[in-house]
Amino acid sequence: MPEQAPLERNQNFLEVNLGFTEELAKMEAQRCLQCPKPVCVAGCPVGVQIRDFIQLVSEGDFLGAAAKIKSDNALPAVCGRVCPQEEQCEAKCVVGVKHEPVAIGRLERFVSDFEREKIGIRTPDIKPKTGRKVAVIGSGPAGLSCAGDLIQLGHDVTVFEALHEIGGVLIYGIPEFRLPKSIVKAEVDALKSLGVEFRTNAVVGFTDTIDELLSDGYSAVFIAVGAGLPYFMSIPGENYNGVYSANEFLTRVNLMKAYRFPEYDTPVFDCKDKNVAVFGGGNTAMDAVRTAKRLGAKNAYIMYRRSEKEMPARLEEVHHAKQEGVEFVFLTNPLEFIGDENGWLRGVKLQKMELGEPDASGRRRPVPIPGSEYITDLDMAVIAIGNGSNPIIKKTTPDLSYNKRGNIIVDESTMKTNKKGVFAGGDIVTGGATVILAMGAGRTAAKAIDTYLTNSETW
Amino acid sequence: MNKIVSAEFLATDIKRFVIEAPKIAAKRKAGQFVIVRIDDKGERIPLTIADSDPQKGTITIIVQGIGKTTKTINSLESGDFFLDVVGPLGKPSHIENFGTAVSIGGGVGTAIAFPTAVALKQAGNHTIVINGARTKDLVILEEELKNVSDEVYITTDDGSYGYHGFVTQKLKELIDGGKQIDFVLAIGPIPMMKAVAETTRPFGIKTVVSLNPVMVDGTGMCGGCRATVDNQTVFVCVDGPEFDAHKVDFDLLTKRNRTYNRNEKESLENHLCNFDKAFNEALAAEPINR
């Protein structure tokens, strides 16, 4: 797929991928074998009819293809950009056995962009109004997909968002260069035109409690508040100035637009000509390090305690980061941050690791190499090792069941919690995961909520 | 959008706003805060809720104009709007009948301590308020505090009004004078809160401070507001904002609060510069009156 040249794009925040042309899209679609039993579909958490939409692309019916995807996926332009296709649909693709798999994600992206740019996002038909109201808490991928399905099923939907903008992690977490905010906004606007009501600045738990929503006319509640408190590493020096969680660094840059300071009021650490290290190997770590590079970092490192093979990030993000000049330091773990007398980060003490036996995740466990400690200069560090659960729902809704990490326990086939009328999905249930898994949970919940509301609320 | 119902200066650069926010007014408890944003390029800043009127659906905040955002807020008038007001956030103050409770406010911290002083009084405490300011013109809420507490002491650093000295000196006098003090709440600049903590520590008086770190989301998502209390990292927005003063690492808080000093200066200069430019342009456009 055409993309901005690496050394040009690492200076700007514009989208890296430029998208297929119509010709390229058709050619790519024609590589699809149109399998009688499409195994790719089984790899998709929301069951997009991949074979059928690709057939339409190969015939040049791009709008038909967009509609086909839309019947299973509320946010195709988003998923085409951020899904880990190489672990899902494309991993199953039969063409991929001997060659490159069909670029399903890029085709999904192409047709949804085509529709939006040519005729605007079309909205599906809505079933007759049921008169039932559902509260969706959180406007990230899980909340949006659930809201999209419920409104189509004829229910009234109100989405409560704690921040001042709609989109959750799509807005505060994933950077502009990977997912332009105008695309998120267009998808949200499409939901608004279907009748979904959005309330910003509403922190459920504080502004309204779940019990208040249930007694205030909402027949069901879907909790999709996402990840919460960022994990730190519990090593000395983590509170020096210049040490950020990935959530804070990305929120400042993406949601608050700190990369345009002082035009926008929110500042962020000035990375220009500085040494920046991001600790972690997931997509969030890649987003953070590529953001630091764009903010002018002289050296932008990924420091990861396992090897490249174990990194959970999408291959494309790793590839892009490397092209843009990010340096990867594998098998390395921080022991201590070093600061100056004013509390500013100046360096980090690192330790080399080697891979031992597989751990519970099936990945080989990193084991420290004694005597391998060394110190590197560092001006800014970003900790991107995941998130705990959001604490506000737990504190204000103690009658829900939580596991020991604070995640809400649900029945996975329905997303039902132990509390009547209350469903939950996305990162608040699974811990930090992907956009598409959260969307899958939103869809599952929407189906179960619909059943619950139509069967006289039998739990 | 939240409409400003009234706006008045209490002292130089310190302004009180009453804002329409019915849900927050109905829910808010002493010690909680809101996060506000003034326009779509604005930053999110936390402000303690100083008071509320659930019937009228309004909350009161008191703002000291220091940086670009707070100075811009203080240029707002009755009838203007805040773009975003979100809350109530944070844990409410822990209120009980301790016996004799001293509420100490330094500068604009006086306003922040006000609701907790009221709640302490309502819980049956004998309440003493020590209200400190640099100079007479900066003394705020004296009448309001007299109405809700048993004893009020005003201190000024320069002696231009009330007791000449710091709030801690007055507090020490009360303790040394044999007054039984069971609880102290201190809210204000970090050096003041630290000094209060050191004053009460030798006497083992339970002392609580309200921390004011930099925040972004205010809902436990970003971790920017972390502080060290009892050698543990806490997230002030959800674990606080009030903590045991004897366990807070004030030096760390001071350093962390300086993270954006340079940016804030740049932002303010840029803002004032644009303001001057607009003013000069307006002046130039004005026909000269001969």
Side-chain angles (χ1 to χ4, degrees):
Chain A
M1 176 161 54
E3 49 191 42
Q4 279 196 75
L7 298 182
E8 185 181 314
R9 72 185 189 234
N10 72 7
Q11 309 289 317
N12 68 49
F13 277 83
L14 302 176
E15 191 171 16
V16 169
N17 289 329
L18 300 174
F20 279 145
T21 59
E22 294 180 27
E23 277 316 301
L24 279 173
K26 269 203 249 181
M27 278 166 57
E28 184 64 26
Q30 281 155 6
R31 295 178 60 229
C32 174
L33 300 177
Q34 292 293 310
C35 304
K37 285 185 185 163
V39 283
C40 49
V41 178
C44 176
V46 297
V48 167
Q49 297 160 65
I50 295 165
R51 178 193 63 188
D52 301 351
F53 100 75
I54 290 182
Q55 175 65 36
L56 292 166
V57 176
S58 70
E59 293 164 6
D61 181 4
F62 304 136
L63 292 175
K68 182 64 78 182
I69 299 174
K70 200 62 94 43
S71 62
D72 295 295
N73 183 339
L75 309 169
V78 173
C79 290
R81 288 171 165 82
V82 304
C83 267
Q85 289 98 1
E86 72 267 15
E87 296 167 16
Q88 299 176 352
C89 51
E90 292 177 17
K92 308 262 181 180
C93 176
V94 175
V95 178
V97 176
K98 286 196 173 165
H99 309 278
E100 278 288 302
V102 176
I104 300 167
R106 291 169 177 191
L107 289 171
E108 178 182 39
R109 174 199 148 112
F110 167 77
V111 296
S112 51
D113 285 357
F114 182 88
E115 180 194 63
R116 189 182 64 252
E117 286 159 15
K118 290 287 188 259
I119 60 165
I121 299 174
R122 286 171 301 177
T123 49
D125 294 334
I126 289 183
K127 286 194 179 167
K129 281 287 172 195
T130 62
R132 310 306 294 275
K133 271 169 47 175
V134 182
V136 171
I137 307 170
S139 70
L144 291 180
S145 77
C146 186
D149 280 6
L150 287 169
I151 200 89
Q152 285 184 48
L153 291 164
H155 306 298
D156 287 326
V157 185
T158 310
V159 179
F160 296 83
E161 168 56 49
L163 292 171
H164 56 264
E165 275 193 49
I166 299 299
V169 74
L170 307 175
I171 290 289
Y172 76 74
I174 302 177
E176 178 77 18
F177 57 82
R178 197 148 77 83
L179 176 63
K181 302 309 152 210
S182 58
I183 289 171
V184 180
K185 188 168 182 304
E187 302 274 12
V188 170
D189 285 345
L191 291 176
K192 281 183 190 166
S193 73
L194 285 172
V196 176
E197 191 192 330
F198 288 96
R199 287 199 200 150
T200 52
N201 298 327
V203 186
V204 171
F206 287 148
T207 316
D208 291 286
T209 64
I210 287 173
D211 285 327
E212 283 165 348
L213 294 174
L214 286 170
S215 60
D216 194 27
Y218 292 99
S219 307
V221 174
F222 178 55
I223 304 173
V225 293
L229 302 170
Y231 288 137
F232 286 87
M233 294 181 290
S234 301
I235 61 173
E238 271 183 324
N239 291 337
Y240 283 130
N241 294 346
V243 182
Y244 285 88
S245 74
N247 277 3
E248 183 187 1
F249 179 59
L250 291 171
T251 300
R252 283 180 177 274
V253 177
N254 298 330
L255 174 72
M256 305 310 295
K257 306 232 176 327
Y259 67 96
R260 290 166 69 178
F261 179 86
E263 180 196 353
Y264 283 75
D265 290 340
T266 304
V268 72
F269 183 85
D270 184 359
C271 299
K272 198 156 175 51
D273 300 324
K274 298 283 175 41
N275 296 310
V276 178
V278 176
F279 296 90
N283 289 320
T284 308
M286 299 307 138
D287 286 346
V289 78
R290 295 171 70 197
T291 297
K293 193 76 195 170
R294 281 163 174 74
L295 291 172
K298 180 172 66 181
N299 294 301
Y301 305 103
I302 282 284
M303 295 193 175
Y304 183 55
R305 62 198 184 119
R306 303 181 200 242
S307 75
E308 177 159 10
K309 213 176 98 207
E310 288 80 24
M311 279 205 301
R314 293 175 78 214
L315 291 179
E316 186 178 23
E317 310 311 328
V318 177
H319 171 68
H320 278 157
K322 284 184 179 169
Q323 283 185 321
E324 289 165 13
V326 170
E327 295 167 62
F328 286 74
V329 184
F330 294 112
L331 292 165
T332 300
N333 202 35
L335 295 176
E336 180 182 353
F337 289 111
I338 298 156
D340 65 19
E341 68 283 4
N342 295 318
W344 284 92
L345 180 69
R346 288 290 172 253
V348 61
K349 187 176 182 186
L350 299 162
Q351 181 172 44
K352 287 285 179 196
M353 313 291 274
E354 59 191 350
L355 292 179
E357 294 302 308
D359 63 13
S361 72
R363 296 177 299 177
R364 290 178 65 192
R365 184 196 303 276
V367 183
I369 302 174
S372 65
E373 297 85 359
Y374 67 106
I375 289 173
T376 296
D377 286 349
L378 208 57
D379 303 293
M380 176 175 146
V382 179
I383 318 292
I385 57 168
N387 303 287
S389 53
N390 184 298
I392 293 175
I393 293 288
K394 186 173 179 206
K395 277 182 190 162
T396 56
T397 323
D399 54 337
L400 281 173
S401 291
Y402 303 86
N403 67 17
K404 62 178 192 298
R405 288 189 303 274
N407 297 115
I408 299 174
I409 297 170
V410 298
D411 173 291
E412 281 179 23
S413 60
T414 59
M415 300 293 151
K416 278 183 184 175
T417 67
N418 64 311
K419 189 174 164 78
K420 187 168 188 275
V422 180
F423 301 73
D427 282 4
I428 188 62
V429 168
T430 56
T434 59
V435 168
I436 190 70
L437 279 175
M439 288 183 56
R443 295 210 79 194
T444 305
K447 250 180 244 163
I449 291 170
D450 183 51
T451 308
Y452 170 67
L453 295 182
T454 44
N455 290 351
S456 315
E457 304 190 7
T458 46
W459 190 245
Chain B
M1 299 274 276
N2 299 69
K3 191 174 178 181
I4 298 169
V5 179
S6 76
E8 53 172 335
F9 277 103
L10 299 177
T12 311
D13 285 341
I14 298 180
K15 199 165 183 177
R16 172 162 59 193
F17 296 92
V18 178
I19 307 168
E20 282 178 1
K23 290 229 165 203
I24 303 171
K27 282 291 173 71
R28 128 311 143 166
K29 293 196 173 78
Q32 289 187 299
F33 64 94
V34 286
I35 282 199
V36 306
R37 205 167 68 113
I38 35 178
D39 57 45
D40 61 3
K41 289 182 178 172
E43 58 182 337
R44 296 167 64 94
I45 63 161
L47 294 167
T48 300
I49 305 167
D51 203 355
S52 67
D53 185 334
Q55 272 75 45
K56 290 186 183 152
T58 59
I59 59 166
T60 302
I61 54 170
I62 297 179
V63 182
Q64 183 167 24
I66 298 170
K68 180 193 169 183
T69 300
T70 46
K71 278 185 190 295
T72 308
I73 290 177
N74 280 0
S75 70
L76 298 176
E77 298 294 347
S78 165
D80 291 340
F81 289 85
F82 281 88
L83 179 59
D84 300 293
V85 177
V86 56
L89 301 171
K91 284 203 237 174
S93 304
H94 174 75
I95 303 290
E96 62 176 271
N97 189 350
F98 297 100
T100 296
V102 180
S103 171
I104 304 176
V108 75
T110 304
I112 301 166
F114 181 78
T116 310
V118 173
L120 286 167
K121 177 72 191 161
Q122 284 167 352
N125 289 282
H126 177 81
T127 51
I128 301 172
V129 169
I130 306 175
N131 178 0
R134 250 190 0 260
T135 184
K136 186 183 177 195
D137 292 345
L138 297 175
V139 172
I140 58 171
L141 300 179
E142 186 180 359
E143 282 311 307
E144 287 90 336
L145 285 165
K146 278 184 176 158
N147 290 337
V148 298
S149 36
D150 299 299
E151 299 173 45
V152 175
Y153 302 96
I154 308 291
T155 71
T156 51
D157 299 358
D158 63 0
S160 55
Y161 188 65
Y163 177 90
H164 184 179
F166 297 126
V167 289
T168 41
Q169 290 171 293
K170 184 71 217 173
L171 175 65
K172 187 74 178 10
E173 272 186 16
L174 292 177
I175 297 170
D176 289 345
K179 183 138 277 215
Q180 169 68 32
I181 294 173
D182 304 295
F183 177 80
V184 172
L185 169 79
I187 303 180
I190 297 170
M192 181 214 102
M193 295 195 287
K194 186 180 173 188
V196 170
E198 293 318 316
T199 305
T200 58
R201 193 191 301 273
F203 302 96
I205 300 170
K206 183 178 168 63
T207 303
V208 165
V209 287
S210 178
L211 304 188
N212 56 342
V214 174
M215 287 188 191
V216 185
D217 68 298
T219 62
M221 185 271 280
C222 86
C225 64
R226 61 195 191 277
T228 301
V229 178
D230 204 11
N231 295 317
Q232 300 287 317
T233 292
V234 295
F235 297 87
V236 173
C237 69
V238 287
D239 297 327
E242 293 182 3
F243 295 95
D244 182 342
H246 297 145
K247 293 179 176 164
V248 171
D249 183 341
F250 287 104
D251 294 339
L252 177 77
L253 182 65
T254 305
K255 286 171 183 167
R256 281 188 62 80
N257 274 6
R258 288 186 189 140
T259 304
Y260 300 105
N261 274 7
R262 242 183 59 200
N263 308 86
E264 276 161 17
K265 197 159 164 265
E266 182 189 350
S267 185
L268 183 61
E269 279 166 6
N270 192 51
H271 172 65
L272 295 176
C273 187
N274 286 340
F275 182 79
D276 282 349
K277 205 169 132 221
F279 183 74
N280 288 333
E281 278 168 7
L283 207 63
E286 192 84 359
I288 297 166
N289 186 356
R290 289 177 190 276

